[in-house]
Amino acid sequence: MAEQMQTPKIDVRSAVRAAANYLQSIQDLIPAENLRLEEVEISEDKNFGLITWGFNEAKKAQPSLNNSLFIAGIKPNETRQYKIFRANSRTEEVEAMEIRNL
């Protein structure tokens, strides 16, 4: 009988922790306000956790806006940005980071 290869199981908590640690290590490069875990997905081959973090980022200088208006926690002079981290299920290391454009 041929041995069946087992599909590795990803530990979601470890993948999120790896992404959070990586994000913290580069925090000086990504000044972020209102950081939130937005989404956790498992890759189709179950080898990677795809962790999406969202945060508010100041928009480039614009004419004066009424800062008293808020939509979903985003000020008029801010935009919501998303970063997706790809964490390896075996090593629990972040292998890639990309920007999600909506």
Side-chain angles (χ1 to χ4, degrees):
M1 283 185 156
E3 267 187 55
Q4 291 182 350
M5 286 191 70
Q6 275 193 328
T7 303
K9 294 187 179 184
I10 189 162
D11 178 357
V12 173
R13 286 187 179 140
S14 293
V16 170
R17 191 171 28 255
N21 290 341
Y22 183 79
L23 186 58
Q24 187 175 25
S25 75
I26 62 169
Q27 199 167 25
D28 59 325
L29 301 174
I30 305 174
E33 286 188 38
N34 199 13
L35 182 67
R36 280 187 243 157
L37 177 63
E38 300 281 346
E39 183 176 69
V40 177
E41 299 176 68
I42 306 301
S43 64
E44 287 183 26
D45 63 6
K46 306 224 184 310
N47 288 322
F48 298 95
L50 305 170
I51 297 91
T52 303
W53 293 91
F55 59 92
N56 294 350
E57 184 176 68
K59 290 181 182 176
K60 302 223 186 304
Q62 294 182 351
S64 179
L65 295 171
N66 182 353
N67 285 333
S68 64
L69 298 175
F70 290 85
I71 300 172
I74 303 172
K75 297 175 187 173
N77 61 341
E78 293 178 332
T79 184
R80 192 81 178 149
Q81 298 290 322
Y82 301 91
K83 304 284 187 219
I84 301 172
F85 295 88
R86 180 177 149 165
N88 186 304
S89 64
R90 292 185 185 135
T91 65
E92 295 183 6
E93 295 290 322
V94 171
E95 293 186 353
M97 178 183 76
E98 66 181 75
I99 297 169
R100 174 177 279 176
N101 294 316
L102 299 178

